[in-house]
Amino acid sequence: MTRYQHLANLLAERIEQGLYRHGEKLPSVRSLSQEHGVSISTVQQAYQMLEQRQLITPQPRSGYFVAPQKAQPPVPHMSRPVQRPVEITQWDQVLNMLEARSDKSIIPFGGGSPDVTQSTLKPLWREMSRVVQHNISEVLNYDELAGRRELREQIARLMLDGGSVVNADDLVITSGCHNALSLALLSVCQPGDIIAVESPPITAPCSSCAVWA
């Protein structure tokens, strides 16, 4: 498979999975060339291939846009067999792990945080400073309830490259892991459902327990 065929197939997957929606403008030839480390002619050949497959349409002086797509078949219904809830209490282990966080001789593998003294973080600090200086109103104001769309779109692209088929509307940016787990519980569980957690859990459960959706 040539490079342009591989790139065309990758873009086709993103279109079919809804990452690029109907009528949305696709990245420019130059930006795709830089993103994937290929020549401009390779990107042009990939776009020509997608145009032949009627997945995209060119517009003079505007670029390439996603063509209308056929409706996707509905997702099959998921059965929920009757189960018996089992009460599990492990608060002693949880409290022991929380107390161990103050012990400097123990390395906490249950959570991660960067070493702010490392020089490798300097580019991140510079970028954060630039964003605050030039986008102060966006930094201090409220955004969409689900989180900033640009961030969700980039996360969706990264997840797609890793094999997870999602789009920006499937993602919610939360204020932390407990917030995420609590929302997952509220979305997929009903009172009396059985929930599997680590034994012992790697972090203290939130007020609604913990589940990975």
Side-chain angles (χ1 to χ4, degrees):
M1 181 182 296
T2 63
R3 289 187 176 182
Y4 80 86
Q5 289 175 329
H6 175 76
L7 179 58
N9 290 337
L10 178 62
L11 294 174
E13 288 181 5
R14 294 181 176 181
I15 292 173
E16 292 169 357
Q17 292 158 359
L19 187 59
Y20 295 122
R21 295 177 294 275
H22 163 57
E24 181 178 351
K25 183 179 180 180
L26 293 167
S28 68
V29 172
R30 185 175 299 277
S31 63
L32 273 182
S33 172
Q34 295 174 347
E35 178 181 352
H36 294 276
V38 297
S39 65
I40 290 179
S41 62
T42 297
V43 179
Q44 291 174 333
Q45 287 179 297
Y47 272 161
Q48 289 174 2
M49 186 175 179
L50 292 176
E51 186 180 354
Q52 293 172 357
R53 293 164 62 177
Q54 299 182 343
L55 290 176
I56 65 174
T57 56
Q59 294 187 13
R61 299 183 180 180
S62 298
Y64 291 89
F65 293 78
V66 179
Q69 300 296 309
K70 297 180 180 179
Q72 296 293 327
V75 177
H77 177 71
M78 180 181 296
S79 62
R80 298 182 63 85
V82 178
Q83 297 177 319
R84 181 177 62 86
V86 178
E87 182 179 0
I88 300 176
T89 57
Q90 294 179 322
W91 278 108
D92 290 340
Q93 294 95 320
V94 172
L95 293 176
N96 289 337
M97 289 178 15
L98 291 176
E99 292 175 355
R101 293 177 63 88
S102 59
D103 189 343
K104 301 301 182 182
S105 65
I106 299 177
I107 299 177
F109 289 107
S113 56
D115 183 357
V116 296
T117 63
Q118 291 296 318
S119 59
T120 52
L121 290 179
K122 289 183 178 180
L124 177 61
W125 302 145
R126 287 196 298 267
E127 182 63 19
M128 291 176 65
S129 176
R130 185 191 65 80
V131 170
V132 170
Q133 291 177 4
H134 295 86
N135 302 275
I136 187 64
S137 60
E138 295 186 12
V139 172
L140 297 180
N141 290 336
Y142 289 103
D143 209 320
E144 296 183 33
L145 185 60
R148 191 167 184 84
R149 170 161 289 275
E150 291 87 343
L151 173 59
R152 288 185 283 126
E153 288 176 346
Q154 289 299 323
I155 293 175
R157 287 186 171 91
L158 291 175
M159 293 181 66
L160 184 61
D161 291 339
S164 298
V165 182
V166 297
N167 57 48
D169 294 328
D170 296 324
L171 299 175
V172 176
I173 307 300
T174 66
S175 58
C177 62
H178 288 180
N179 186 200
L181 296 177
S182 179
L183 288 176
L185 264 181
L186 295 174
S187 300
V188 302
C189 296
Q190 299 294 329
D193 284 352
I194 294 176
I195 303 169
V197 297
E198 300 92 346
S199 179
I202 62 174
T203 185
C206 58
S207 59
S208 302
C209 195
V211 68
W212 182 259

